[in-house]
Amino acid sequence: MFSIQRLFSIPWLLALGVSACSSSGTKENPSSFLPPLALVDHAVFVDRGNDRAFLLDLSGKLTPHANQVRLPKAPILAQRRLSLDPATDPDEVLILSAGDLDATESVPSVTALNKSGTQRIYKLAAAFDSMVQSPDGRYLVVKFSQTNVANRLLFNRNEVAIIDLNQPPDELMNPVDRTIRGFGEPPDSIVFSPPLMIHGEERELAVVLFKQVVALVDLKHLDRPEFTIELAASSVDAPTINLEQVLFDAQENKVYLRGSASPDIYVIQIAPRDVQNEPNKNDFVPSLNQLGGGGQLKDMALYGDAPERRLLVAAGANALVIDADSNRVTSIPLPAPATKILLFEGRSPQVDTRETRALLYSLGTSDVVFLDLAQIEDRKQRNAERLKLNSYLDVIPLRPTAGDASAPNQVMLRHAGLLGASIVDLDKRTVNAVSSQVDLKAGTPDAALNGVWVAPSYQNKVGFIDLSDPNKIQPKEVRLDYPVTDLLLFTQAAHQRVLVTHDSSVGRATVLEATDLRDLTRAVTLEGFLLGE
């Protein structure tokens, strides 16, 4: 245990015996916080008990004070807004609020909040409880979850609200309220396509999955109706599909769908059509094809460029390679069963050229299988190699900094109990064991520092495994004064730091230097930053 510099907020001791009051003098409710979120250089704590957010600045000199921002009534969910490019990251959090059922002026809403406290509030027509973002962070679909029990007399579980986060709120145009047709069943999930070229225009589609039905929504033209496609008959004795996975082929405008209870893969081809005289009609039409995979299909991935585009499917004891154009299926017996696929661009011990390869695995087992995809349809099982390990519970990809082709391809396998973790070099197909005296629970990859952070909840230690040098894997750790509740990374910021929160109703956290974890002279404990002003 070490002693570190502390910064205390003067009124924090008062909170131990007296309820805090807001600046207006009204008595506050007991604080109840959503899981904290990290912006580039600010931590965000949403207090759902008092309809507010605290913004803790970690960019420069640390102070025991967080900027307080009022939020719409009853925040229930918060997410960091996604981004594909750090250079254009909007650096916002999205907060879903339920509003007040008994007050017409307090309606459900989504708030986009940035680190300066500026907000955009998108008002909603229903008290949704779930949010799904497009990978580029532009579109947000707000919906009812499958477990939602709305505190209302009536609600439509097929209703959604679609928000263009790049545009300001507009009561008539943004959000757009829709009811997605599902032939009597509510939607299970929503997946967003990458940009697709249709009629010379870049589009994104929202693919809404039901048990047996899929709906396609053109996000660029929300005035047009969705396509609802029934993949199986709705009769009682019809085969079950239970759709759960979607892949997109942006080169050929195809959508691949897999269900947990179906031996087939469903392919939707999106083709343009002329609607010059029908402006409110879709200018594309989907057609459905069915590929017979056989057996239980567990995962799938697309690889290669046309005309060598292929679909790789994990099907237990076999891997399937499917040519969707010819419907040709090649079955490859595997040396160990697999239910998951991880594609990567890398080398092998025999071939020093970077090619598309695959790691196939099943959680809860002790084997992984490397599959070289070049000439796989001819070489079959000769392209498969088995690697024996301890039984593992998670496979965590450790992506290096974008564009760094020289960085090693690695994954971390988290083992059960006290077995720690294994770092697998996908190029060399070697394993380095990292032992632990506690159950690691999880790992947090850090692309900026080419490593992985480990901070098991309610343990008073934080560790970092530096993977930038594959020839020297040396874990580092630091002992804290208090047990961990959450770990937030700020390694994309100019001043690279890590924030470790501790259990406290008034706010307690340890700030560590990410690039020099053991420099305890620069570690700081902040206390009392969630008291309010």
Side-chain angles (χ1 to χ4, degrees):
M1 185 86 60
F2 63 82
S3 178
I4 56 184
Q5 178 185 357
R6 302 181 185 278
L7 295 177
F8 294 91
S9 178
I10 293 175
W12 83 273
L13 292 172
L14 301 177
L16 299 180
V18 181
S19 296
C21 297
S22 68
S23 58
S24 63
T26 58
K27 188 174 181 179
E28 294 182 350
N29 296 317
S31 294
S32 175
F33 287 90
L34 297 173
L37 299 171
L39 295 175
V40 171
D41 55 16
H42 279 65
V44 182
F45 301 83
V46 176
D47 182 0
R48 56 186 174 187
N50 293 289
D51 309 326
R52 61 185 176 182
F54 293 93
L55 300 167
L56 182 63
D57 188 350
L58 294 162
S59 62
K61 183 179 179 181
L62 298 172
T63 64
H65 171 73
N67 183 30
Q68 183 181 169
V69 178
R70 301 306 305 179
L71 296 174
K73 183 73 174 178
I76 60 172
L77 183 64
Q79 298 176 357
R80 196 197 196 283
R81 186 175 171 188
L82 299 178
S83 174
L84 295 176
D85 183 0
T88 58
D89 186 354
D91 206 21
E92 295 179 329
V93 295
L94 306 175
I95 302 167
L96 176 61
S97 297
D100 190 343
L101 296 177
D102 300 319
T104 56
E105 70 277 7
S106 180
V107 300
S109 64
V110 169
T111 300
L113 173 70
N114 65 21
K115 67 181 182 181
S116 68
T118 303
Q119 304 179 49
R120 299 189 311 282
I121 299 176
Y122 299 87
K123 295 181 180 179
L124 304 173
F128 302 108
D129 70 332
S130 179
M131 298 189 294
V132 186
Q133 297 183 60
S134 61
D136 60 4
R138 175 172 182 177
Y139 294 104
L140 179 73
V141 175
V142 194
K143 65 184 186 68
F144 291 109
S145 66
Q146 289 294 304
T147 58
N148 176 265
V149 180
N151 187 22
R152 293 177 182 261
L153 177 64
L154 300 170
F155 70 99
N156 177 8
R157 199 178 287 276
N158 285 43
E159 183 181 5
V160 301
I162 303 172
I163 302 173
D164 184 344
L165 293 168
N166 286 355
Q167 300 299 322
D170 185 311
E171 290 189 5
L172 298 178
M173 301 294 294
N174 196 25
V176 174
D177 198 57
R178 295 281 289 266
T179 294
I180 307 298
R181 295 167 294 172
F183 298 116
E185 59 184 52
D188 287 334
S189 60
I190 298 174
V191 182
F192 294 88
S193 77
L196 305 175
M197 290 302 296
I198 302 175
H199 273 300
E201 183 182 42
E202 199 172 77
R203 317 274 183 90
E204 288 183 65
L205 303 180
V207 179
V208 185
L209 301 183
F210 300 81
K211 297 294 183 186
Q212 319 281 95
V213 173
V214 62
L216 307 180
V217 180
D218 186 347
L219 296 170
K220 192 72 174 286
H221 300 281
L222 290 173
D223 57 324
R224 300 173 182 176
E226 72 273 11
F227 281 104
T228 301
I229 305 166
E230 193 172 19
L231 303 182
S234 57
S235 60
V236 176
D237 59 348
T240 302
I241 297 178
N242 290 340
L243 289 172
E244 65 176 12
Q245 187 180 9
V246 183
L247 290 181
F248 299 95
D249 185 348
Q251 297 180 16
E252 298 187 357
N253 281 2
K254 289 182 178 179
V255 182
Y256 294 85
L257 302 120
R258 180 186 62 81
S260 62
S262 174
D264 297 327
I265 293 170
Y266 301 86
V267 186
I268 297 175
Q269 174 74 64
I270 297 171
R273 69 171 180 175
D274 186 8
V275 291
Q276 291 184 3
N277 298 322
E278 301 174 287
N280 294 324
K281 299 291 185 180
N282 286 296
D283 57 358
F284 66 90
V285 60
S287 59
L288 180 64
N289 187 22
Q290 199 164 328
L291 303 176
Q296 290 296 309
L297 311 181
K298 299 297 185 181
D299 196 10
M300 57 183 183
L302 280 167
Y303 71 94
D305 295 319
E308 301 301 323
R309 193 76 155 152
R310 296 292 186 268
L311 183 68
L312 177 65
V313 182
N318 298 287
L320 308 178
V321 177
I322 302 176
D323 183 341
D325 292 330
S326 65
N327 291 354
R328 185 180 72 248
V329 179
T330 303
S331 181
I332 295 99
L334 297 175
T339 59
K340 298 287 185 180
I341 300 172
L342 174 66
L343 290 182
F344 64 97
E345 294 292 322
R347 302 172 176 86
S348 78
Q350 294 78 33
V351 181
D352 196 38
T353 57
R354 292 180 64 86
E355 298 174 353
T356 303
R357 307 178 194 275
L359 182 75
L360 284 76
Y361 60 94
S362 292
L363 300 181
T365 69
S366 56
D367 300 285
V368 298
V369 176
F370 291 91
L371 201 61
D372 297 324
L373 299 176
Q375 301 178 322
I376 184 67
E377 290 160 305
D378 296 325
R379 294 179 56 82
K380 297 185 179 179
Q381 62 264 38
R382 287 179 291 171
N383 274 21
E385 181 181 347
R386 176 184 182 182
L387 185 62
K388 190 76 174 177
L389 303 156
N390 287 325
S391 178
Y392 54 91
L393 301 178
D394 287 326
V395 173
I396 303 170
L398 306 175
R399 303 294 188 189
T401 303
D404 187 0
S406 63
N409 276 310
Q410 296 171 316
V411 297
M412 185 177 97
L413 276 60
R414 184 178 65 85
H415 304 299
L418 306 183
L419 293 177
S422 294
I423 306 299
V424 179
D425 188 312
L426 300 180
D427 294 339
K428 297 179 180 178
R429 302 183 184 179
T430 57
V431 183
N432 284 286
V434 179
S435 300
S436 176
Q437 295 179 338
V438 301
D439 189 345
L440 295 181
K441 301 296 184 185
T444 304
D446 188 340
L449 297 183
N450 283 340
V452 57
W453 294 88
V454 176
S457 295
Y458 302 106
Q459 299 286 333
N460 64 340
K461 291 183 179 180
V462 170
F464 179 70
I465 306 172
D466 187 347
L467 302 173
S468 57
D469 183 353
N471 298 315
K472 186 181 66 175
I473 297 178
Q474 187 176 35
K476 303 173 183 179
E477 67 177 60
V478 62
R479 184 185 294 270
L480 307 177
D481 286 336
Y482 307 102
V484 174
T485 54
D486 288 289
L487 173 74
L488 299 180
L489 303 184
F490 300 90
T491 54
Q492 299 286 350
H495 195 151
Q496 295 175 306
R497 286 169 165 161
V498 176
L499 180 76
V500 183
T501 64
H502 311 291
D503 190 16
S504 170
S505 61
V506 298
R508 176 183 290 151
T510 302
V511 183
L512 302 169
E513 296 296 318
T515 56
D516 197 352
L517 188 62
R518 292 174 177 170
D519 185 359
L520 306 182
T521 63
R522 300 166 70 188
V524 176
T525 293
L526 302 175
E527 301 209 49
F529 56 85
L530 298 180
L531 280 174
E533 299 176 3

